[in-house]
Amino acid sequence: GGALGSVGLSPQPTAGGNVGLGLRYGSFALYGEGRIDLPVSIELGAGVVRTSLLLGTLLPCLQWRHFGACVSLSVGALQVDGRLAFGRRDTSLVAKAGVRLQYEWMPFRHLGLLIHAEVDAVPTRVTVFADDLSIWSTSPVAANGGLGIIGVF
């Protein structure tokens, strides 16, 4: 598991966390990951709109020494909570696909650090409205980077 920062799927850059499991055979690896981003608020004159994100990701990767290149396939939910006079809570599907580059630093035999950077295309655009006005939309491109602990057994 680890910490990450991301842009493109929230109204402003946000932090979050992820946890995952994986299998390796030679230079091939397959990881599964769960991610949650911290809620982000948009202040409006009439109240606040808050967004939060949950994602599941599948990562088939090629490994070479400490370096890895992965295809990232994610699906999840963007939840929007309108704290306005006529606000409501709604959840929308979010899907993204892209490329992740990663580096593993293994100072101990079974324990190390994983650093990653990822860029994704986001075909599922979500637009948030308040009083029939568009106040924010997801970007067609999202990115994240993170640092985490890795255990290899």
Side-chain angles (χ1 to χ4, degrees):
L4 59 88
S6 66
V7 295
L9 295 177
S10 296
Q12 54 191 281
T14 188
N18 62 0
V19 64
L21 290 172
L23 299 170
R24 282 193 199 169
Y25 183 76
S27 62
F28 179 76
L30 182 64
Y31 301 107
E33 215 173 67
R35 168 179 156 186
I36 184 168
D37 284 3
L38 294 174
V40 174
S41 297
I42 306 169
E43 299 285 336
L44 303 173
V48 176
V49 173
R50 199 167 107 167
T51 68
S52 58
L53 180 71
L54 294 169
L55 282 176
T57 302
L58 184 64
L59 295 151
C61 303
L62 290 176
Q63 300 285 136
W64 182 72
R65 298 188 183 192
H66 297 287
F67 296 95
C70 309
V71 173
S72 173
L73 304 167
S74 302
V75 66
L78 177 67
Q79 188 169 37
V80 179
D81 186 9
R83 296 177 183 178
L84 307 163
F86 297 102
R88 67 174 209 217
R89 176 177 276 183
D90 200 2
T91 302
S92 295
L93 174 73
V94 174
K96 64 186 189 79
V99 176
R100 176 183 289 189
L101 299 177
Q102 57 190 30
Y103 177 78
E104 296 173 359
W105 179 57
M106 302 296 291
F108 305 105
R109 183 175 176 176
H110 296 290
L111 190 64
L113 294 176
L114 176 71
I115 300 166
H116 82 265
E118 182 177 326
V119 177
D120 299 286
V122 184
T124 54
R125 302 288 307 281
V126 177
T127 301
V128 177
F129 292 91
D131 296 329
D132 294 325
L133 296 174
S134 170
I135 59 170
W136 173 75
S137 294
T138 55
S139 172
V141 177
N144 72 77
L147 175 65
I149 296 172
I150 185 170
V152 178
F153 303 97

